[in-house]
Amino acid sequence: MTYRSFPATGRPAADVLADLVGKQARDARWAEGRTFGLVFDGGDEVRAVADEAASLYLHESALNTQAFPSLGAIQSELCGWVSGLFHGPEAAGFLTSGGTESILLAVKAARERALDERDVTRPEVVLAKSAHAAFHKGAHLFGLAVRSVPVTDDLTADVDAMAAEVGPNTALVVASAVDYPTGLVDPVPEIAALAASVGASCHVDACMGGFVLPFAEMEGRAAPAWDFRSEGVTTISADIHKLGYAPKGVSVLLHASRELRRHQTFVFDDWLGGLYATPNLQGTRAGLPMAAAWAVISHLGTDGYRRLVRATLDAADRIRDGVRAIDGLVLRGDPAHQVLAITSDEPGLDVFAVGDGLAARGWYIDRQYPPDSLHLTVSNGNLPVVDEFLGDLAASVLEARGAAPGGSGQYATID
Ligand SMILES: *Cc1c(COP(=O)(O)O)cnc(C)c1O
């Protein structure tokens, strides 16, 4: 049912809820492992714990942690746990609504710090083409100029090109671990040292990798340096609502010290409403995602995350091997973790047409460019369906071979 005007009369709850379930009919089938990204399924028990915690905190407000001290405690415990995980003994931070908000606040904090410590009035951000679009959004919103550099042949940030762009106006230098488009870890120690050489901030975007890399290291997997152990890293973002397996609406932004963290907060009292202080972009904010994240992390613990990371990397490795075995398809770069991008090296084979074939078979996969590629974020919920996916991928390639290019590379539509 589509409303063209505000509902004139209320309807019974059962009707309303049945309508909602009906609306979901065409949504991506994440619970069957058929999305690669968007929803991250830690399994029945993890979902159950999140559901219960969410219902306990559905109505609470995190705007005022004096009224809800439990939410203040949840936030500081979570930030403390993640600081330890990222080897930042002095680190301090806040929870945010997601990766974008964490990144926006990191950009804002870097700008404030550059003004405060170095009188930078025309601040700049130096980043690679593989850095997330949210940094451009932040630069746009907060008035910083972007100096963007290419990636090298291995598709990680080109540090020499970054060095040529860094100077007295640099407020922030960005590294990704792992980057969204290709799933690679940038040379964080070099990028952080470069930022430090001019007194600028260095943000490591671990929105995607933050809950994978530490556990992968414990599992003895590839462990490039990416966290606070690298000198010069000033902020790190990590999304608990991605591979942290919490429901949507929660990320963490950590600063290397409490002293640096003060550049994030906004404090104001020149209005009729008295002292107003927020660490976030939001005013009123939900307690639900914070409590659910606290419950999921407490429930899983290190051993639980190691188990989920083993399942994730096992699935991702098998998909990579499967892709390499299909003529006409190649991986972008050499990613070792959960993100991978598939492109084509066969003239006339349109990888978006392959994506159309997968969509027709009930798989939801993001598309990106340049170059045209299919983007997969693999997680625990995909492990049971890896063989089925690879079979459908091979079938979709056969179908697409010679098909007229017609796929669309649109990431998202706004309607
Ligand atoms: C997802 C992601 C973001 C943005 O996070 P949202 O939660 O979608 O706002 C930023 N950086 C990376 C590397 C990401 O994977």
Side-chain angles (χ1 to χ4, degrees), residues 98-101 103 132 134 178-180 205 207-208 239 241-242:
T100 298
E101 192 183 8
I103 288 170
H132 197 276
V178 301
D179 76 78
Y180 177 85
D205 179 4
C207 284
M208 188 57 100
D239 291 354
H241 68 196
K242 286 183 182 153

Side-chain angles (χ1 to χ4, degrees), residues 178-193:
V178 301
D179 76 78
Y180 177 85
T182 33
L184 300 165
V185 179
D186 284 334
V188 172
E190 288 82 353
I191 292 172

Side-chain angles (χ1 to χ4, degrees), residues 178 182-184 212 216 221-222 224 313 316-317 320 334-339:
V178 301
T182 33
L184 300 165
V212 172
R221 305 272 303 210
L313 298 184
D317 286 345
R320 281 188 277 263
D334 189 19
H337 299 96
Q338 82 278 26
V339 173

